[in-house]
Amino acid sequence: MDREGVSHRSTTSSPSGDKEKMTYTDTDIEPQVHIRGIETSAETALHRGLKARHITMIAIGGAIGTGLIIGTGKALAQAGPGSIFVSYSIVGFVVYLVMAALGEMAAWLPMSAGFTGYASRFCDPSLGFALGWTYWFKYIIVTPNQLTAAALVISFWLPRDRVNPGVWITIFLVAILCINYFGIRFFGEFEFWLSSFKVVVIVGVILLTLIIAAGGADGDPRGFRYWRDPGAFAPYIGTGSWGQFLGFWSTMVNATFAYLGTELVGVTVGEAQNPRKTIPRAIRLTFYRIVFFYCISILLIGMCVRYDSKDLGFANDAVTSANASPFVVAITQAGIPVLPHILNACILLFVFSAANSDLYIASRTLYGLSSDGAAPSIFRKTNANGVPLYSLGTSAAFALLAYLNVSDDSKAVFGYFVNLTTIFGLMTWISILVTHIYFVRARRAQNLPNSAMPYTAPLGIYGSYGALFMCCLIALTKNYDVFVGDWNKKYPTFITGYLGIPIYLILIFGHKIWTKSKGVRPHECDFYTGKDIIDREEEEFLAAQAAEKANKPEKRGARFYRRFVSWLF
């Protein structure tokens, strides 16, 4: 044990993750040099300002977005209510397995570098390199796209010929930049209330569609009528049972991309208070919320709207505003006025929240890459509020691409970039699952039992194998429809849909050739370097929390919230 009382225990480290020499002063136990993936110095450390309620709401906020409110319309029209209910349920379970795999690693060692650091440390430095850069690339493209979407949502009320969308893009860009600049506590509080609002909206939509399905809105109880006529499974491309299967499989892709972003809780581990408790709790609650928010709302919308409805076909042409939502179609068909305007305002907040969190993810991903040694060290420097300013500024600069998206000439090209980056989200899940498989194999090789883990994935390594198979299958077949019909019209979709896979592989093998790095062998995997620092932080936090509880006993309202409401809000 060192003279300052900090014990170090380590095994042979991963190929590119050797622990650097650590020095302490007599008066300060903070380490003065860098451990790969874990930042502790004042100049580079993030602040652990995210409370448990922030983490849980950010987790569900990442899962609830326009993919549920708007994207389900296209899936319903394409494949029918039965297909989308089954596909969203299956993919929802896969998402839970991905989150559980991530949670097991994050609870053991909450690294500043996030899941990029886990890939480098537990699996292969080249995997961490490819994962981090493609994930960052995804979010510097998605952020400006969200800003443009917000401007288009406003065109529901103010057409672009009256107010240039660039005005709204500027307002939203300045707003999200300020929210991210003022520190993690401000960001966490802001996202908490935005995500809470999302939950209120989704609960309201679920209750409304339940009332419509039961006939409470117009006196016409629909029940499962539309599951019988025109049917639960719509044929797509083909005919008969084969066409129905193709329709079902096409919605597997829609469901996958609706859930993308749920993994962002893995980016927050470096800024979470008591992450070994809050991260697993957020992941456990994710399962119940997926069932409640996604599966129930998908079931109900399939009861309220026919998949061959002309109104639904018009909605799919609307693309962004409330007119694009199948829930608005249900409201309109039930003869309820005004609500489409209210829902459009809700969608605007959804998109704004997405842009805000996307910029956060982009900045922290670049910071994590720097912490992991895969990007210049300047990107891990933080200000007094614990904000990585250089990472934030660089990521925000790419948000200016939103102005290109306003022009019709560049809009198609920008759309190709968005299509290209969506596959990177799926590759992120695959990388997390592969890393978890390596992590569990290394635990077994080094006799690290489940009882020593703060959290373990419920289905263990076998759940990760199953989820990995499904993710790979979806990634390889996600654009299968380009092979049917006019190839001359569809080849751009094919290129942008699959180009991300070879780019990912080139980054992995290119890094491996350049750095001559090797995969981490199970018996050499480093589980302990830097863990003592996290242990000490946890002890200090729990001691402070216990002292606070002793001085301020828990109120009845707080106890009621924790036991009965916290799973939802």
Side-chain angles (χ1 to χ4, degrees):
M1 179 172 289
D2 295 326
R3 59 183 177 179
E4 289 76 24
V6 181
S7 61
H8 295 279
R9 178 185 177 189
S10 64
T11 61
T12 305
S13 68
S14 57
S16 298
D18 295 336
K19 184 174 75 171
E20 300 176 20
K21 186 178 179 181
M22 298 175 62
T23 59
Y24 298 86
T25 65
D26 290 333
T27 58
D28 188 2
I29 60 174
E30 289 296 322
Q32 299 299 308
V33 292
H34 178 235
I35 298 175
R36 179 172 179 167
I38 299 177
E39 299 296 336
T40 52
S41 71
E43 293 79 15
T44 61
L46 300 172
H47 290 183
R48 292 197 179 276
L50 291 177
K51 299 179 181 179
R53 61 186 177 89
H54 295 149
I55 296 292
T56 54
M57 288 311 298
I58 287 174
I60 191 58
I64 297 177
T66 53
L68 175 60
I69 293 291
I70 294 177
T72 48
K74 180 180 180 181
L76 176 60
Q78 192 166 287
S83 292
I84 62 173
F85 179 69
V86 174
S87 62
Y88 275 72
S89 299
I90 292 174
V91 177
F93 185 64
V94 170
V95 170
Y96 173 67
L97 294 176
V98 173
M99 295 290 287
L102 175 59
E104 182 173 326
M105 296 182 289
W108 173 256
L109 190 63
M111 297 176 69
S112 306
F115 42 71
T116 300
Y118 300 134
S120 295
R121 184 162 178 163
F122 302 134
C123 183
D124 192 316
S126 297
L127 179 65
F129 176 85
L131 170 60
W133 280 110
T134 53
Y135 199 65
W136 182 70
F137 182 64
K138 174 180 185 288
Y139 278 98
I140 61 171
I141 295 297
V142 170
T143 302
N145 191 59
Q146 296 284 12
L147 292 172
T148 307
L152 293 177
V153 169
I154 292 181
S155 67
F156 181 80
W157 299 297
L158 292 171
R160 63 185 299 166
D161 56 352
R162 289 183 59 188
V163 180
N164 190 300
V167 174
W168 306 118
I169 289 172
T170 303
I171 293 172
F172 291 133
L173 177 57
V174 171
I176 64 172
L177 193 55
C178 290
I179 293 167
N180 278 269
Y181 174 78
F182 287 121
I184 190 61
R185 295 197 178 193
F186 183 79
F187 172 85
E189 202 65 34
F190 193 87
E191 273 300 306
F192 172 80
W193 290 109
L194 272 182
S195 296
S196 298
F197 179 78
K198 287 183 183 181
V199 171
V200 171
V201 171
I202 296 297
V203 171
V205 165
I206 287 173
L207 291 175
L208 181 60
T209 49
L210 178 62
I211 292 169
I212 292 173
D218 55 3
D220 178 21
R222 295 162 177 78
F224 285 92
R225 179 197 307 166
Y226 299 145
W227 285 56
R228 295 187 296 272
D229 179 26
F233 298 89
Y236 176 64
I237 299 178
T239 57
S241 299
W242 176 243
Q244 290 177 338
F245 173 77
L246 292 178
F248 159 73
W249 193 254
S250 69
T251 63
M252 291 289 285
V253 179
N254 292 334
T256 299
F257 293 124
Y259 285 115
L260 286 179
T262 312
E263 76 286 340
L264 74 86
V265 70
V267 181
T268 67
V269 294
E271 296 174 281
Q273 294 178 356
N274 195 17
R276 287 179 175 156
K277 182 178 179 181
T278 56
I279 298 297
R281 182 173 183 272
I283 288 165
R284 281 193 294 267
L285 293 179
T286 297
F287 177 74
Y288 302 113
R289 288 163 167 174
I290 284 173
V291 171
F292 182 78
F293 294 124
Y294 271 90
C295 298
I296 294 179
S297 60
I298 291 295
L299 176 66
L300 289 171
I301 196 61
M303 295 168 63
C304 295
V305 181
R306 297 169 60 100
Y307 74 73
D308 60 354
S309 168
K310 292 182 179 179
D311 292 333
L312 193 61
F314 170 77
N316 288 330
D317 294 331
V319 181
T320 2
S321 69
N323 287 331
S325 173
F327 296 96
V328 170
V329 173
I331 292 168
T332 305
Q333 290 182 347
I336 304 174
V338 182
L339 275 179
H341 291 274
I342 296 175
L343 194 57
N344 196 65
C346 296
I347 291 172
L348 178 62
L349 283 176
F350 275 36
V351 175
F352 177 72
S353 173
N356 187 42
S357 60
D358 288 348
L359 181 59
Y360 168 80
I361 294 169
S363 65
R364 296 316 188 268
T365 301
L366 186 56
Y367 168 87
L369 279 166
S370 179
S371 178
D372 198 45
S377 60
I378 191 173
F379 291 121
R380 61 187 175 93
K381 291 185 180 297
T382 57
N383 65 4
N385 293 326
V387 177
L389 281 184
Y390 295 103
S391 293
L392 177 62
T394 303
S395 301
F398 284 91
L400 298 174
L401 292 171
Y403 294 107
L404 291 177
N405 208 10
V406 173
S407 168
D408 290 332
D409 295 335
S410 57
K411 194 173 182 180
V413 177
F414 198 86
Y416 292 144
F417 274 108
V418 174
N419 291 337
L420 174 63
T421 58
T422 50
I423 185 63
F424 290 145
L426 199 52
M427 300 306 290
T428 298
W429 289 1
I430 291 173
S431 301
I432 291 171
L433 292 166
V434 169
T435 303
H436 179 250
I437 290 170
Y438 272 73
F439 179 82
V440 175
R441 287 170 53 194
R443 280 208 298 116
R444 292 176 177 175
Q446 297 186 30
N447 297 318
L448 188 61
N450 288 349
S451 58
M453 304 297 293
Y455 173 78
T456 54
L459 298 184
I461 194 172
Y462 302 105
S464 291
Y465 275 122
L468 179 62
F469 171 77
M470 285 299 300
C471 288
C472 290
L473 189 61
I474 294 170
L476 293 173
T477 60
K478 76 183 196 72
N479 287 99
Y480 72 86
D481 56 343
V482 301
F483 300 106
V484 180
D486 189 351
W487 171 256
N488 292 327
K489 292 181 179 180
K490 293 188 176 183
Y491 78 87
T493 305
F494 170 80
I495 293 173
T496 57
Y498 287 106
L499 185 61
I501 297 176
I503 288 176
Y504 202 79
L505 295 176
I506 288 170
L507 285 173
I508 291 175
F509 291 106
H511 180 270
K512 190 172 284 292
I513 293 170
W514 182 264
T515 63
K516 296 180 173 57
S517 66
K518 297 180 180 179
V520 181
R521 296 177 180 177
H523 64 280
E524 294 179 344
C525 185
D526 182 5
F527 284 106
Y528 297 104
T529 300
K531 184 176 179 294
D532 51 355
I533 299 170
I534 305 298
D535 292 341
R536 187 176 70 248
E537 287 181 352
E538 182 181 35
E539 290 172 3
E540 291 172 352
F541 175 82
L542 293 176
Q545 190 179 56
E548 184 179 354
K549 284 185 177 180
N551 295 328
K552 294 181 180 180
E554 187 177 43
K555 297 179 180 179
R556 288 185 178 181
R559 191 180 302 116
F560 177 82
Y561 167 82
R562 179 170 49 82
R563 290 185 178 180
F564 301 107
V565 185
S566 62
W567 73 274
L568 188 60
F569 291 95

